[in-house]
Amino acid sequence: GAVVSQHPSRVICKSGTSVKIECRSLDFQATTMFWYRQFPKQSLMLMATSNEGSKATYEQGVEKDKFLINHASLTLSTLTVTSAHPEDSSFYICSAFTNTEAFFGQGTRLTVV
Amino acid sequence: AQSVTQLDSQVPVFEEAPVELRCNYSSSVSVYLFWYVQYPNQGLQLLLKYLSGSTLVKGINGFEAEFNKSQTSFHLRKPSVHISDTAEYFCAVSLRNAGNMLTFGGGTRLMVKP
């Protein structure tokens, strides 16, 4: 089946630095990818919709200057957490669709110290 | 707007016992329905989905779910659970005519005890 690869799986960074997370669709083209954030013991909250070749669509309350999304090709979307702070520590997950099914990346555990 | 409610945040059950994880949804238009499983520090894996047709849907790992339109429910069941089924389970919906964005329920932690 279709595979979505997310990298890195874990990252620890210092407060004030930026972190880039990659999401790749390995065997299909994805014009749209989704970025979710998951706090411990909670559900997934949609952060933004990444559109190939155009600007991302952010959900209410998500700072677009804080969470930069780039979808430069049909197989790659990136999420950059800029000037990260401890409150940005979380589990980030991307997904992409083929037909009516969503495939998810393995997730990225971000810890900001 | 659509919403998804998973009535139980945690469900403890003994190994080999049956289990039902409840999911109710609210939407003014037709939806697709999904159940996903998440193991610790991993992404989500699709268990099963309802798009149309038969209301009883069979998925992987022995799970099944039944779509009940009148009760707007999509409960997940397994007749006999294993220790390895311990995980977080998410019910989700997407609108049929509004793209592929998923709305998730709060999740249910299934804890299988020996």
Side-chain angles (χ1 to χ4, degrees), chain A residues 23-43:
Chain A
C23 181
R24 293 181 184 273
S25 56
L26 296 186
D27 52 2
F28 66 100
Q29 294 182 332
T31 56
T32 303
M33 291 186 178
F34 300 93
W35 286 96
Y36 295 87
R37 183 173 181 176
Q38 186 180 30
F39 290 103
K41 300 186 186 301
Q42 294 189 28
S43 187

Side-chain angles (χ1 to χ4, degrees), chain B residues 5 15 34 44 66 70 79:
Chain B
T5 302
E15 192 173 21
F34 306 83
L44 275 66
E66 186 158 18
S70 63

Side-chain angles (χ1 to χ4, degrees), chain A residues 10 34 36 38 42-44 46 49 59 91 93 97 99-102 104-107 109, chain B residues 32 34 36 38 41-46 49 51 88 90 94 100-102 104-107:
Chain A
R10 288 179 177 271
F34 300 93
Y36 295 87
Q38 186 180 30
Q42 294 189 28
S43 187
L44 283 75
L46 180 67
T49 302
E59 295 300 300
F91 194 59
I93 306 176
F97 272 80
N99 296 320
T100 55
E101 184 170 341
F104 289 82
Q106 304 94 317
R109 172 72 61 193
Chain B
Y32 297 134
F34 306 83
Y36 290 89
Q38 184 183 34
N41 291 312
Q42 293 188 27
L44 275 66
Q45 180 182 6
L46 180 68
K49 60 184 176 182
L51 306 180
E88 192 80 22
F90 293 98
S94 68
N100 298 317
M101 189 174 68
L102 288 170
F104 287 90

Side-chain angles (χ1 to χ4, degrees), chain B residues 14 19 22 32 43 49 72 90 93 101 108:
Chain B
F14 287 105
V19 71
R22 296 180 293 171
Y32 297 134
K49 60 184 176 182
T72 60
F90 293 98
V93 303
M101 189 174 68
T108 297

Side-chain angles (χ1 to χ4, degrees), chain B:
Chain B
Q2 68 279 13
S3 66
V4 181
T5 302
Q6 291 181 243
L7 297 166
D8 307 297
S9 59
Q10 294 186 73
V11 173
V13 63
F14 287 105
E15 192 173 21
E16 297 184 6
V19 71
E20 178 180 83
L21 306 183
R22 296 180 293 171
C23 173
N24 287 88
Y25 69 93
S26 173
S27 176
S28 57
V29 298
S30 296
V31 297
Y32 297 134
L33 296 153
F34 306 83
W35 274 100
Y36 290 89
V37 61
Q38 184 183 34
Y39 298 100
N41 291 312
Q42 293 188 27
L44 275 66
Q45 180 182 6
L46 180 68
L47 281 176
L48 47 79
K49 60 184 176 182
Y50 173 78
L51 306 180
S52 64
S54 173
T55 57
L56 182 62
V57 180
K58 293 188 182 297
I60 63 171
N61 301 341
F63 284 94
E64 65 180 31
E66 186 158 18
F67 169 56
N68 188 317
K69 188 174 183 179
S70 63
Q71 297 185 7
T72 60
S73 67
F74 191 54
H75 301 331
L76 181 71
R77 302 185 184 97
K78 186 170 182 177
S80 176
V81 294
H82 301 283
I83 295 287
S84 59
D85 292 323
T86 295
E88 192 80 22
Y89 292 79
F90 293 98
C91 181
V93 303
S94 68
L95 298 182
R96 291 183 178 229
N97 60 351
N100 298 317
M101 189 174 68
L102 288 170
T103 299
F104 287 90
T108 297
R109 174 82 177 157
L110 176 62
M111 300 176 292
V112 182
K113 299 181 284 186

